[in-house]
Amino acid sequence: MTEREPTLAGWGNLPVPGHELLSEDLCAITRGAVLSRGLGRSYGDSSLPPPSQREVVGTRLADRILAWDPETGVLRAEAGFSLWEFNRLFLRRGRFISATPGTQFVSLGGMVAADVHGKGHHWYGGFGAHLRALRLRVADGSIIDCGPAHEPELFWATVGGMGLTGHILEVECQTQAIPSPWIHSQSQRIDDIDQFIDVLKSSSHEWPFSVGWIDCLSRGKRMGRGILDRGRWATAEETGGKPLPVTRRLMVPFDFPSWVLGRFTVKAFNTLVYWKHFQRAREGLRHPDAFFYPLDAILHWNRIYGRRGFTQYQCVLPDSAGKGSARRFLELLTSRGGASFLCVIKDAGAQGQGMLSFLRPGISIALDIPVRDNTQQLVDTLNELVIAEGGRIYLAKDAFTRPEHYAAMDPRLPEFQAVRERWDPAHSIRSAQSVRVFGDPP
C-alpha cells in the first residue's frame, strides 16, 4: 500500500504537498529554508511552499519570551510566541495588544507578516504601528536587526510582506495598558447597509473598537442589515472587581457535508442571527474573548465548509469611493450567488507604513466563500469591482486573485519588489502565493 504524501493547508483547507520542519532553534532551521509559517491561520496559500519545494519551517516551538518590561509594556519574544499565550499571561495583569486580529491563535511572526488589524484599526492602526524591532534571517543567511530607524526599508517591507523578505526570528512590540480585562460593549440592530455605514463611521470617534456582522443575502430595503458591535475597555468601577473566567471551547470533530452551507441554510442562519438580537440596542460587560475572538470558541470551525474548503474574500473600499460602494459590492455579490453566513464589516483608519499593509481609510468587508466550481469566476468579478472602486484585497486571506488584478490594486507593489530584489535577487524565499501572484519561480 502506497503511503500518502503529507500535505499542508492554510485555514481555508486548500492543501498542497508539503510538511513543516519544527525546532526550538529558529536560527538553525531557517538557514536555506524557502519559507517560515506560524500557526497556519492565514486562509489561502501565503504560508504554503511553492510547487518545487515540500518543506517549510514551522515556528511554533520557538515561543519563548526574551524580554518583558512591566513598566513600559515592551515585549520581545521569538516569532512563534502566540497571541493566545500573551493574553493568557498578561490580559489579567492589565496589558493588551490593541492591533489584535479576529483570532488569538496566531504567532507574533505571522502578525508581522500579515500586518494584522482588528476592530480597533481606526484608533490603533495595524500591528506594524506597535512594532519596535525585528530580527530576521535574510536570503544570504545573514541575521539582520531592523526597525524604523535601522534598515527601515527592510523593516517596512517585512511588515505586511507575507514572509517574503526573510525569516522572522524575533519580534519586539509595544503593548497597551488597560484598566480592566473586561469590555464594555454596546450592540445595535441596523436595518440596511447605508444606515450601517453611517452609524459605523459616526461611532469611530467615541468607540475604540467596532465591528459589524451583516446579512449579505437580503436584497432591496433590507440589503446589508445586521448587528453593529462597539466596545471600549471597562473601568475597574464598572466591573466591580469581577474576575474574568476562562473561556470554554467546543470543537467541530469532522468535515461537514458540502450541502450544509447552501444558499437556503445560510439565508436561514442570517435571518436567525438578525432577529435573535430582538432588542434594538444592548449594552453591558462582555468577555474579551466573546468580543474580539467569537469564532475561537469553536475549535476547527473551518471544518464546516467541508472537504473542498473555503476562501475568505476581504477587501477595503476607500472613503474616496463614497458610502455607496458597500451597497454596490453587496449587489454584485448577491447577483452572482455569493452566499456567506460570515460577512464582517469594519472601519478602516490610516494606511500603515508597511509597503504592502492592507488597510487604508475606508471600510473593510470580509466574507467566507465555500470553494465551488465557480469560485474563481466570483473572485475575478469581485476583484474587478474593487479595482474600479479604488480598493484592494488582503493577501493574508487570498487564494484566488490573479496577478494582474493585484498589480492593478496596489501601486506600492513595485517599491516592495525593489526592496525584495536587493535582499533576495533570486527569490529564494517564496511561497505558493508569491508564485501565483508575484510570478516567482515555481
Side-chain angles (χ1 to χ4, degrees), residues 10 55 101 106 127 192 257 263 267 283 290 313 381 385 403 407 415 420:
E55 191 172 78
V106 289
F127 189 48
D192 65 77
R263 184 176 181 85
K267 189 175 183 64
E283 192 161 356
Y313 188 89
T381 302
L385 176 118
E415 180 186 9
R420 190 178 171 217

Side-chain angles (χ1 to χ4, degrees), residues 12-64:
N13 283 337
L14 304 175
V16 302
H19 64 277
E20 289 183 330
L21 179 64
L22 297 170
S23 172
E24 296 178 355
D25 187 353
L26 281 186
C27 284
I29 63 171
T30 52
R31 188 176 288 109
V34 71
L35 188 69
S36 290
R37 75 185 235 139
L39 297 181
R41 294 303 285 258
S42 56
Y43 283 60
D45 51 3
S46 60
S47 69
L48 304 182
S52 64
Q53 302 291 322
R54 292 293 186 268
E55 191 172 78
V56 296
V57 168
T59 67
R60 62 181 183 271
L61 298 185
D63 60 353
R64 293 174 298 178

Side-chain angles (χ1 to χ4, degrees), residues 171-193:
V171 178
E172 184 174 296
C173 65
Q174 177 69 59
T175 69
Q176 288 71 53
I178 57 176
S180 83
W182 289 93
I183 289 290
H184 179 89
S185 78
Q186 183 185 90
S187 59
Q188 180 179 350
R189 180 162 48 87
I190 298 178
D191 297 329
D192 65 77
I193 188 61

Side-chain angles (χ1 to χ4, degrees), residues 8-16 37 39-48 255 301-313 368-372 375 396-400:
L8 280 175
W11 193 242
N13 283 337
L14 304 175
V16 302
R37 75 185 235 139
L39 297 181
R41 294 303 285 258
S42 56
Y43 283 60
D45 51 3
S46 60
S47 69
L48 304 182
D255 292 329
W301 62 263
N302 55 342
R303 291 173 175 168
I304 68 174
Y305 286 96
R307 293 184 178 180
R308 292 193 68 177
F310 73 106
T311 185
Q312 185 171 102
Y313 188 89
D368 290 348
I369 301 173
V371 171
R372 301 286 187 265
T375 299
K397 306 294 180 67
D398 178 62
F400 289 91

